[in-house]
Each structure stands twice: as structure tokens, then as C-alpha cells.
Amino acid sequence: MVNPYKDEPTNEYGWRECWGVKFKWTPEHLTPKELEPLTRTYDTIATTALERLDEISPPSSWTDLHNNVDDASPREKGEKQPRRDIYGLVQRYGTADETIGRLWGEITTIPAWVDWEQIERGQKVFYRYGGPAITALTFLSLLGGMGSGRTVETLDRTGGFSVEAVRRRLLETVQHTLNVTRDLESIKPGGDGFADSVRVRLLHAAVRRRIMRIAETTPEYYDMNALGVPVNDLDCIGTINTFSTSVVWMGLPRQGIWLRKQEIRDYLALWRYIAYLMGTPHEWMSTPESARRMMESLLVSEIQPSKASANLANNIISGIQAQPPVYLSREYLCAQTYWLIGSQLSEALAIERPSLYYFALVLGQYTLLMALCYVNRSFRYLDERNINLLREALPKVLLHNKSRGGLGYTTKFHFKYIPSLDRPSTARGLAPATDPKVRKKIGRIERTPLITLLVPPTLIITALALCCFKGARWAGC
């Protein structure tokens, strides 16, 4: 793992640059040494609840245990067994069992700092900047997040980021994101976003438990002394950071979009509540200033790309290139990556540099989306219409319509990608061959931002030419 910034003196305050981000280092920032204890702590409430759930609803076999399969009744040969709904079990036993009740009591208790009107405004922020926000989450948060070499050591062992699985894995993450931002009822106790957050929290507990059990008997499988506990508190903080602060201060500004101060507070409040539901330390999100300091501290401490980081980052690109619903070429995806995470980190992740043509296409895309976002947010009617339109369209395109590239099912975040000694890491895979018809479709889609880029200067040049022609006629030339 290589981080050219981690060993810089952290007691020297003032302006500094890390992975292309310039910021002022202050005594309030957290050094790598100060963050390190968070790699030894984790969500014990979810862990003990999961153990108790397995006792109450015991899986029928080792394989079923790690696939969350319910064995309530024997099945006929060839008949598919239903999967255990871990959230449904928490609901069922939350008031009847003390151990599970600690989890249920925590997630159904609304903290004093939660303001539902602010949470709702935070949800609207996501859809107000829907296209740029999803672009930032894909290329900065998820792909760029692979730069955290220590965290990747856990992801590398699950197999969920192989070329074959990564697209489905990303769409399942999209489901969680869209559900927690859909509306206020969805994020409140009992809603779909609430349930997804709890399921993901328990999934993290299952991954942690599985890797720790293997490491107990085979220490070389996962070095907890060097890497910390799998899915530890710092990992979870980093994940929430990539979906919130990184989008606010890196992902959107790099597309030419700056949120207003109230929008920043509202969006961070939403993700602070999501962090609370998922058992993640969240006090650092209490103010925009402290949240930004955490983002900058994590850049210095955690971004240390490894070979595994490069493998998974490239698998993301290979897994989504030339795929519906957007049908983008590898070169276009690489240009997006370079633009949003910077040349230095892109090169550290072994992402190939595309030609200037593809950077021009990306510039055209960002110019178009930036203009639309600023125009829409300037008029209340347009703003509300845009938010409602995307709230309806995004789930249809990305989740419901499988024939057009959507997920095609509602995931309950079962433990599908299981760490094992048979697969100690995830190999870098090759992208599937692109059908000639798809290749033509890619060309048509990618020319759209180029047209966007060329139209304004063409109109300006035409207008100037007309003015010069009329001026010449008026002067009698």
C-alpha cells in the first residue's frame, strides 16, 4: 500500500494537498494515529443480535447459515428454500427478546438531534442534483473508495466485486440509496429505507463474523493486527463519508456544482441519521465543519491504494462498460474516473488514461447537467417538478425494469458474497465482449455530450459572423 501523504508531519498546520484536494490542516483534524483506535472497535449491538437471531431461527446447515436461509420446514427435492428475512426477525423478536431488543430499541428511538423537516429537505437535495449525484457516487465514492487499501482487504475476500457480480452489487447499493432518499416515510421506522439500512447493518455483522472466524484458525487469511477488525468503525465512517461529505465537497464541485449552505446542512443531517441506523459513529457529522475535517483526515489516513484496490477498481469499470441502461464505453468511464478522483489516484488504481476526445465528452456532459441543475433550482416550480420526476424515473430505470438494465428484483441484502479460504482474494477480470449493435448504441449516446459542448460556441460564432456581416453591409463595404 502506498500513500505519499500519510508520513507527512501532521503537527505542521497550514495549507496542504492530498490526492488533488487542497485544504487547511488544523489542530482539529485527526491524525492517522488518532484514527487508528477506531479500527479496533465495531458494532457490538448488531453482532450480538445476529448471534441471538441464529439461535432463535437456526439455519439448517453451515451453507444456509451464511446465506441467511430459513429452515422452518423441510423442502421437497428441487424446491427452492425461502431465504430468511433478517429484518423481519428483528421486528418479530425486537420486543420479546432482550438481546435483539437492544438493537430494535436503538434503531426505533429517534435521537433528539433529528429534525424530520430537515431530513426531508436532505432527501430532496439528492434528487435536485440527481444525475451529478449518481455520477459522483459511482466514480468518486464507490470506484475512488477502492483507494482505501485497508478497507479493500475485506471487500477483496467477499467476491462481490468480481467482474461477473459487480454490476448487480452496485445496483443493490443503488436500491439502498434510492430507498433512504425516496420520501420521509421510507426512512422512518418501518419504511423501506429504514429496513434496508438495518439489513445492511446486519450484513456487515455477518461479514465481520465470518472473516474473524476464519482468521482465528488461519491467521494468515486476514491479519487483524495490521488491518484491524473487519468492517470496523473507521471503515463504516469512511463509507458514510463517501456517500455524504465526499459528494458535497468533491464529487459535485468537480462537476461545476456547489451546494448552498442550507443544502449542505440538510444533506449531512440525512446521512447522519442513516449512519445512526447503521450503527456507525456519527458525532463527526454534527456540523459541516467537523464533517469536512473528517473527510480531509480520512484522505490523509486511509487512501493507500494496493494491488487489490486496482483489481477491484478495474472490475467496476469492466463490469459496467457497454451495459444498459447507459451503454458507455470503457474510455468514457475512464475519463469520468480521471475527472472525479484525479489523475494521481486514477494512476495509482491502474486506470488507463483516455484520449482528450473522451475528456471533451465528459466536459460536455457536466456542462449540460450543471446548467440544468442551476436553472431548475432557481425556480421553485421547476425544482419540484425535477425532484418528483427523478423520484419516479430513477427506480424504474435502475431497479424495476430488468429488460432495460435495471436490477429486476428487490434485494433483502442476504449474505451472498461469502468470504472463504477457497477464494482469498478477487482477481481482476476481463470485460465481456461488446456486441456490434451495442457498440453503435454507445457511439450515439456518447455523441450527445459532444453536441452539448459544440452548440454554444457554434451559436456564438454564428451570431458574431452575422453581426460582422450586417456591420459590413451597414458600412457599405
Side-chain angles (χ1 to χ4, degrees):
M1 301 180 188
V2 179
N3 184 346
Y5 305 102
K6 188 173 183 180
D7 295 330
E8 289 186 6
T10 50
N11 59 346
E12 294 182 4
Y13 306 120
W15 288 98
R16 62 190 304 178
E17 183 175 346
C18 181
W19 299 109
V21 181
K22 294 182 179 179
F23 54 90
K24 192 173 185 179
W25 189 263
T26 69
E28 286 75 32
H29 283 77
L30 297 172
T31 66
K33 185 177 181 180
E34 290 170 326
L35 289 171
E36 196 275 338
L38 289 169
T39 67
R40 312 293 169 184
T41 58
Y42 59 94
D43 179 12
T44 57
I45 292 179
T47 300
T48 55
L50 181 63
E51 296 285 354
R52 181 60 180 146
L53 287 167
D54 287 341
E55 294 174 2
I56 292 175
S57 180
S60 59
S61 68
W62 179 90
T63 302
D64 291 345
L65 167 64
H66 297 289
N67 281 283
N68 280 343
V69 176
D70 191 359
D71 66 329
S73 60
R75 305 285 162 182
E76 297 293 331
K77 186 176 180 180
E79 184 179 353
K80 188 176 180 180
Q81 286 189 332
R83 290 183 181 271
R84 181 177 64 171
D85 181 4
I86 202 78
Y87 172 72
L89 291 173
V90 172
Q91 274 188 311
R92 180 178 177 182
Y93 295 104
T95 57
D97 182 85
E98 181 180 355
T99 302
I100 301 172
R102 282 196 292 271
L103 173 62
W104 185 248
E106 179 184 82
I107 59 180
T108 55
T109 299
I110 308 303
W113 46 264
V114 168
D115 178 344
W116 290 121
E117 291 184 358
Q118 184 178 43
I119 298 292
E120 187 174 31
R121 293 197 303 268
Q123 292 174 318
K124 288 184 176 182
V125 169
F126 176 80
Y127 291 99
R128 180 172 295 131
Y129 307 100
I134 289 177
T135 301
L137 289 173
T138 302
F139 294 97
L140 175 69
S141 304
L142 294 171
L143 197 155
M146 296 302 158
S148 178
R150 188 185 52 75
T151 303
V152 161
E153 290 299 313
T154 297
L155 301 176
D156 191 36
R157 285 158 174 77
T158 65
F161 284 88
S162 66
V163 169
E164 298 77 17
V166 68
R167 182 176 175 276
R168 182 171 64 251
R169 169 73 173 74
L170 296 183
L171 286 174
E172 290 177 348
T173 301
V174 168
Q175 176 189 300
H176 181 213
T177 303
L178 294 184
N179 278 345
V180 297
T181 56
R182 187 174 67 203
D183 54 41
L184 200 53
E185 292 307 311
S186 184
I187 194 64
K188 286 183 176 181
D192 290 339
F194 176 89
D196 279 357
S197 299
V198 178
R199 289 188 177 108
V200 172
R201 180 175 180 175
L202 290 165
L203 174 62
H204 289 170
V207 172
R208 181 190 309 114
R209 180 179 66 178
R210 174 64 181 153
I211 293 178
M212 291 177 71
R213 284 181 176 176
I214 296 177
E216 286 177 2
T217 57
T218 313
E220 63 272 18
Y221 175 77
Y222 184 91
D223 188 350
M224 284 197 287
N225 290 327
L227 301 171
V229 176
V231 200
N232 56 60
D233 282 340
L234 189 58
D235 293 335
C236 295
I237 289 172
T239 299
I240 294 296
N241 165 73
T242 61
F243 280 79
S244 57
T245 52
S246 293
V247 172
V248 169
W249 286 296
M250 294 173 63
L252 292 179
R254 289 178 178 181
Q255 298 177 72
I257 297 170
W258 280 264
L259 300 188
R260 295 166 288 197
K261 290 183 178 179
Q262 187 60 52
E263 289 178 317
I264 293 174
R265 288 192 289 267
D266 295 341
Y267 189 68
L268 294 181
L270 166 66
W271 281 98
R272 184 184 181 187
Y273 180 57
I274 296 169
Y276 169 79
L277 293 179
M278 298 181 69
T280 302
H282 54 80
E283 292 78 9
W284 57 278
M285 301 187 76
S286 58
T287 68
E289 294 76 20
S290 61
R292 185 165 188 169
R293 286 195 298 269
M294 177 61 82
M295 179 193 76
E296 294 161 351
S297 299
L298 291 172
L299 277 172
V300 173
S301 171
E302 294 304 297
I303 303 302
Q304 304 175 59
S306 63
K307 181 180 179 181
S309 297
N311 289 343
L312 300 196
N314 277 274
N315 283 354
I316 291 175
I317 292 179
S318 298
I320 64 176
Q321 73 179 67
Q323 294 296 313
V326 289
Y327 294 103
L328 298 176
S329 66
R330 184 177 186 87
E331 294 82 0
Y332 195 96
L333 298 175
C334 290
Q336 295 262 25
T337 303
Y338 268 81
W339 196 293
L340 287 176
I341 72 174
S343 298
Q344 189 180 15
L345 185 53
S346 295
E347 290 169 0
L349 292 173
I351 306 297
E352 58 265 35
R353 178 182 285 274
S355 66
L356 290 176
Y357 170 75
Y358 288 97
F359 283 113
L361 295 184
V362 170
L363 176 60
Q365 173 191 324
Y366 292 166
T367 301
L368 174 62
L369 293 178
M370 176 186 66
L372 289 174
C373 287
Y374 279 127
V375 169
N376 284 332
R377 84 176 192 182
S378 300
F379 301 93
R380 186 172 180 178
Y381 166 74
L382 292 179
D383 186 40
E384 290 296 329
R385 188 184 69 170
N386 176 60
I387 290 171
N388 293 332
L389 177 65
L390 288 180
R391 273 182 165 158
E392 182 178 349
L394 289 179
K396 286 183 179 179
V397 173
L398 298 175
L399 301 180
H400 302 153
N401 197 335
K402 187 175 183 179
S403 64
R404 295 196 175 184
L407 183 61
Y409 61 90
T410 300
T411 180
K412 293 187 177 180
F413 298 96
H414 298 296
F415 193 6
K416 294 183 291 187
Y417 309 111
I418 308 166
S420 70
L421 286 172
D422 297 333
R423 188 188 56 247
S425 63
T426 302
R428 185 184 305 191
L430 297 176
T434 304
D435 185 273
K437 293 181 180 179
V438 173
R439 203 172 289 123
K440 290 182 180 179
K441 186 177 293 188
I442 291 172
R444 291 196 301 271
I445 292 173
E446 292 183 348
R447 281 193 292 272
T448 301
L450 182 62
I451 294 171
T452 301
L453 189 64
L454 294 177
V455 165
T458 301
L459 292 175
I460 292 172
I461 292 172
T462 302
L464 289 174
L466 287 173
C467 289
C468 291
F469 176 73
K470 289 185 177 181
R473 288 188 60 186
W474 179 78
C477 296

